[in-house]
Amino acid sequence: MPNATEVLQAGAAEYGRAAEIWRAGGLVAFPTETVYGLGADARDGLAVARIFEAKGRPRFNPLIVHVESAARAQDYVEWSDAAEIVASAFWPGPLTLVLPLREGAGLSPLVTADLPTLAIRVPAHPVARALLAEFGGPVAAPSANPSGRISPTEADHVIAGLGGRIEAVVDGGVCPVGVESTILGLAGDPVLLRPGGVPVEALEAALGQPIARRAEGEALSAPGQMRSHYAPGAKVRLEAEATRPGEVMLGFGPVEADLNLSRAGDLTEAAANLFHHLHALDAMGAEGIAVSPIPETGLGRAINDRLRRAAAPKE
């Protein structure tokens, strides 16, 4: 366990240092366009085990592997026509594909939680892409926060949650999308396993067919499916029109609030602000966080998914 966590700035020398830590079996948090990820060499079982240890993450919860290109992804998964269509349209970007694991892929079984599938994506953030190119291998990376807590969208969030438990964090500023990637299952017929940064309507348009939704309560098949997740310390109350005693207000639209996701009602702005505002409101020390209604459309689905999991009883 490291005594202190290095904060590396974005730059060629720092990317080399991060890659060196990964090759030595260490943990490095880094920015993606969605949230900060906690990365380790996906081929190194001991390094991957340290991700679970640092986060306090259940071992049955699989991880997403990040690679630098769709061509590299095909080294680890069985590709398909549907995968080619959506990867061509949305990679690099906030989309994770769950595909059959290629025989002999060489990844730690901890990455897949012993499932026959692998969650994989190509991030768009320039810092993430530079790091992956420098490292030259697959990086397993869940969100860089204690398991079940609010996801980090800036380096300070990572240090607050994991400082002293990981070797380094690369500071690439604030993550622009602000919610995790959409996860699309393609091991059979397309199924939405987690809403996220790519709206399901866009995926359906690209594939030319409707996409089934995962039923709540089904066995875990991808990250981000636990009922209680993304939670602040304060209790979260949804569909709120006003605060109750002891609460602060997270607004949406033209409402009075302590912090507002988007006064203009812009879901892209709201997604980018979600975790940052939850961190800020939680730091106020209130007993609860009341949240305005959010439309269940486009990126609103991803926002509401995170809020419902934040409001669920702790597991």
Side-chain angles (χ1 to χ4, degrees), residues 80-137:
S80 66
D81 290 344
E84 183 65 30
I85 289 169
V86 293
S88 296
F90 301 106
W91 277 1
L95 174 67
T96 294
L97 301 180
V98 174
L99 290 156
L101 181 67
R102 183 176 288 279
E103 185 176 354
L107 303 180
S108 166
L110 289 173
V111 170
T112 61
D114 287 318
L115 294 170
T117 53
L118 176 67
I120 195 161
R121 87 175 182 104
V122 178
H125 196 291
V127 172
R129 295 182 63 73
L131 285 166
L132 290 168
E134 177 70 27
F135 180 59

Side-chain angles (χ1 to χ4, degrees), residues 121-181:
R121 87 175 182 104
V122 178
H125 196 291
V127 172
R129 295 182 63 73
L131 285 166
L132 290 168
E134 177 70 27
F135 180 59
V139 172
S143 56
N145 58 305
S147 186
R149 299 304 301 272
I150 309 169
S151 296
T153 55
E154 56 186 72
D156 285 348
H157 297 161
V158 178
I159 294 297
L162 297 177
R165 301 190 208 176
I166 66 176
E167 276 72 16
V169 55
V170 180
D171 188 350
V174 176
C175 301
V177 174
V179 293
E180 291 84 356
S181 60

Side-chain angles (χ1 to χ4, degrees), residues 4-94:
T5 297
E6 293 182 58
V7 178
L8 306 175
Q9 299 304 313
E14 289 76 9
Y15 300 153
R17 171 63 180 147
E20 177 184 279
I21 292 170
W22 278 334
R23 294 186 188 107
L27 306 183
V28 179
F30 62 100
T32 76
E33 68 276 19
T34 58
V35 300
Y36 275 72
L38 179 58
D41 185 340
R43 301 160 297 193
D44 184 335
L46 289 177
V48 175
R50 287 196 55 218
I51 291 177
F52 289 91
E53 179 185 15
K55 284 176 59 71
R57 183 185 177 97
R59 296 284 178 95
F60 56 76
N61 198 359
L63 305 177
I64 295 174
V65 167
H66 295 65
V67 292
E68 61 184 292
S69 67
R72 182 59 61 89
Q74 293 171 57
D75 292 339
Y76 305 107
V77 292
E78 298 290 346
W79 208 239
S80 66
D81 290 344
E84 183 65 30
I85 289 169
V86 293
S88 296
F90 301 106
W91 277 1

Side-chain angles (χ1 to χ4, degrees), residues 189-264:
D189 291 336
V191 57
L192 181 68
L193 299 176
R194 180 181 73 183
V198 175
V200 68
E201 295 91 339
L203 293 169
E204 290 176 329
L207 289 171
Q209 67 179 97
I211 294 173
R213 272 55 164 178
R214 172 185 178 269
E216 196 68 38
E218 287 183 12
L220 292 182
S221 55
Q225 294 179 338
M226 295 185 69
R227 183 164 174 257
S228 175
H229 206 34
Y230 316 111
K235 185 176 181 180
V236 175
R237 182 170 64 88
L238 306 181
E239 303 290 329
E241 301 293 345
T243 57
R244 296 172 180 171
E247 290 182 334
V248 290
M249 187 75 182
L250 179 60
F252 178 80
V255 299
E256 292 299 319
D258 294 273
L259 287 175
N260 199 309
L261 292 171
S262 173
R263 289 196 61 82

